Amino acid sequence: MIPRLYVTVDLAPGRQFAAEERTAHYLKNVMRREAGAPVILFNGRDGEFEAHLAEIAKKHVTIEVGALRRPQVGTPDVWLCFAPLKKDAVDFLVEKATELGVAAFQPVFTKHTATTRLNLERLSANAIEAAEQTERLTLPAIHEPLSLSDLIANWDPARRIILCAEAGPALPIGEALSALKSDVNKSNAWAIICGPEGGFARSELDLLSKLPFVTPVGLGPRILRADTAALAALAVFQSILGDGAERPPAPLTPIGQSPE
């Protein structure tokens, strides 16, 4: 297995740089790689590159960048607005939503939110690891938490909100998103908002449902956990309005091999 790693430096063929502490530790002590070993790099800006370990010393690892492997591409501009969950649940949510291609996470405090503390540094580390493993070329942004009232007060109405409503006459999510897809004036900026483990308060649902840029949707007859609901909604969104319906790209030629 060739390690695929996120780095913060600019990437270009021929460049050498000292690996960050996290990357150096992983390559030396976890993967036990030696000088000359291949790696794959991305930084969320310049695309994906072949590279190799130019030097492994006691206190540093030097990496040399090789050829461009894939040009930079973006992800659909869809945010996930979620009420903070307990540690394991929010870690799982960030990992899986990153795999599903979310562009940004926006934590939102609601009336029934049970957890008010978030370790954004840990969530960022989870997102990086998920991006490395799933071959996405970008990292999702992780915004500072906001109250629901502050979120709505500062919301750009050009970004449409898909509201995961727990009850009421909302259309099934597939039907609702298909209708939005046929709207010639549809936005290219989206957000999915899901409530906490205790659900939205009735007053919050009423407030959100009355906003012209909000589309309430139903997620089926079962009561879903907060993290399950968010991921289910994101998966359906990507299959209808995102990149889930696109034809997968041709597989890349493995490093060190020539195309047939």
Side-chain angles (χ1 to χ4, degrees):
M1 184 192 75
I2 298 177
R4 182 176 187 271
L5 302 171
Y6 169 76
V7 295
T8 59
V9 301
D10 294 335
L11 295 174
R15 177 172 185 183
Q16 287 194 358
F17 65 95
E20 297 175 358
E21 182 178 354
R22 163 189 173 270
T23 303
H25 170 76
Y26 177 74
L27 291 170
K28 285 198 306 181
N29 302 321
V30 178
M31 299 302 293
R32 300 186 180 278
R33 292 299 194 258
E34 299 179 351
V39 293
I40 298 171
L41 305 176
F42 73 106
N43 61 6
R45 305 183 303 275
D46 300 323
E48 181 182 80
F49 286 80
E50 299 179 4
H52 70 274
L53 306 185
E55 181 184 10
I56 296 183
K58 183 176 181 180
K59 294 186 177 181
H60 69 272
V61 172
T62 302
I63 300 177
E64 181 171 339
V65 183
L68 178 67
R69 183 172 167 83
R70 284 193 293 161
Q72 185 67 30
V73 295
T75 53
D77 188 8
V78 53
W79 295 7
L80 181 59
C81 302
F82 68 98
L85 306 169
K86 295 177 182 178
K87 177 181 179 296
D88 290 344
V90 76
D91 287 350
F92 177 82
L93 175 63
V94 168
E95 176 186 329
K96 299 309 175 186
T98 299
E99 293 179 18
L100 288 168
V102 72
F105 292 97
Q106 176 59 70
V108 182
F109 294 132
T110 67
K111 290 185 177 180
H112 295 164
T113 300
T115 300
T116 57
R117 298 178 63 185
L118 276 178
N119 185 333
L120 298 185
E121 185 175 342
R122 187 185 74 245
L123 297 187
S124 177
N126 291 339
I128 288 172
E129 184 174 346
E132 290 174 338
Q133 294 176 352
T134 55
E135 297 195 358
R136 67 177 281 176
L137 292 174
T138 60
L139 287 184
I142 300 180
H143 300 307
E144 291 286 340
L146 293 172
S147 68
L148 181 61
S149 58
D150 286 342
L151 180 78
I152 296 305
N154 296 286
W155 194 262
D156 179 1
R159 181 177 296 277
R160 289 200 62 91
I161 293 178
I162 308 302
L163 168 62
C164 298
E166 297 95 340
L171 288 174
I173 185 171
E175 185 177 343
L177 296 186
S178 295
L180 289 172
K181 183 177 182 179
S182 64
D183 183 355
V184 295
N185 296 315
K186 71 175 184 294
S187 170
N188 288 320
W190 304 87
I192 294 169
I193 185 166
C194 294
E197 288 140 325
F200 286 112
R202 184 72 256 174
S203 59
E204 293 172 332
L205 285 175
D206 290 342
L207 169 65
L208 288 165
S209 299
K210 292 175 182 177
L211 297 172
F213 49 83
V214 171
T215 299
V217 300
L219 297 178
R222 287 166 291 280
I223 302 298
L224 303 180
R225 287 168 43 119
D227 50 347
T228 304
L231 295 173
L234 181 58
V236 176
F237 173 91
Q238 292 288 43
S239 70
I240 297 175
L241 293 175
D243 58 6
E246 296 179 4
R247 184 182 297 274
L252 292 168
T253 301
I255 293 177
Q257 297 184 19
S258 299
E260 295 182 357

